[in-house]
Amino acid sequence: MKANNWKSLAAVAGVMVSASAGAQESSGSFGQEGQIVISTDASASLGYSTQSSGLGYIFLEPGADYFLKKNLSVGSGLQVRALFGEGDTVAAFGLNGRVGYNIALSERVSVWPKGQVSLYIGDPVLPFANQAINADVTVILEGYAPFLFHVTPHFFVGGGPRLAFGLGDEVEVNFSVATTIGGYF
């Protein structure tokens, strides 16, 4: 009788461990409801814009996102942008609001397109010197689609195309490739 009790106990424990492991795998994948993502996006280039060429710039954007429901995220970030080249270096600081949707391509690869609106305060950040409002304020609409490689559970790196539109009397356009690194819990 004791042998049957041990077998039953072992079978129940095995089922519980298997169910627990399966639940952890599915709840740990990127884009699950309730996840918080901490990341930073970066872009650097000797770039070309519709305003001029031969300018260098670096953009850094630490931020946080929250998945409202499976694969649908909202977030915000701080932004630091610097432009260098001919003349003085200019810099601006900003805040953004964004919405994104994660699309799993495989177990370790996904694409997370995001749209965002950014407000910058500081020097006019070329190529986005908004002439319609105060010269110290710039508004930018952006789309960014990083392909993410999930190196380990809860950690990713990636990169992808970024398209930005500066708002003002004339629409100014900038295309770049940006990188991202982050984690989630």
Side-chain angles (χ1 to χ4, degrees), residues 45-134:
S45 177
L46 288 174
Y48 173 81
S49 74
T50 57
Q51 295 298 307
S52 61
S53 62
L55 299 174
Y57 56 85
I58 184 166
F59 301 164
L60 297 174
E61 299 181 21
D65 295 272
Y66 177 78
F67 280 91
L68 294 172
K69 55 191 273 187
K70 185 172 181 160
N71 295 319
L72 179 64
S73 66
V74 295
S76 183
L78 297 172
Q79 299 175 317
V80 178
R81 292 190 173 195
L83 179 79
F84 51 90
E86 300 172 11
D88 293 332
T89 298
V90 295
F93 302 92
L95 292 171
N96 71 37
R98 58 189 177 213
V99 62
Y101 192 83
N102 181 62
I103 303 165
L105 302 176
S106 73
E107 185 178 313
R108 293 188 148 223
V109 178
S110 66
V111 61
W112 188 21
K114 296 179 264 188
Q116 70 185 32
V117 176
S118 302
L119 176 66
Y120 289 93
I121 298 173
D123 293 325
V125 185
L126 285 163
F128 303 113
N130 188 339
Q131 304 303 321
I133 55 179
N134 183 334

Side-chain angles (χ1 to χ4, degrees), residues 129-133 139 165-172:
N130 188 339
Q131 304 303 321
I133 55 179
V139 177
F165 299 91
L167 302 181
D169 291 338
E170 295 180 26
V171 174
E172 300 173 23

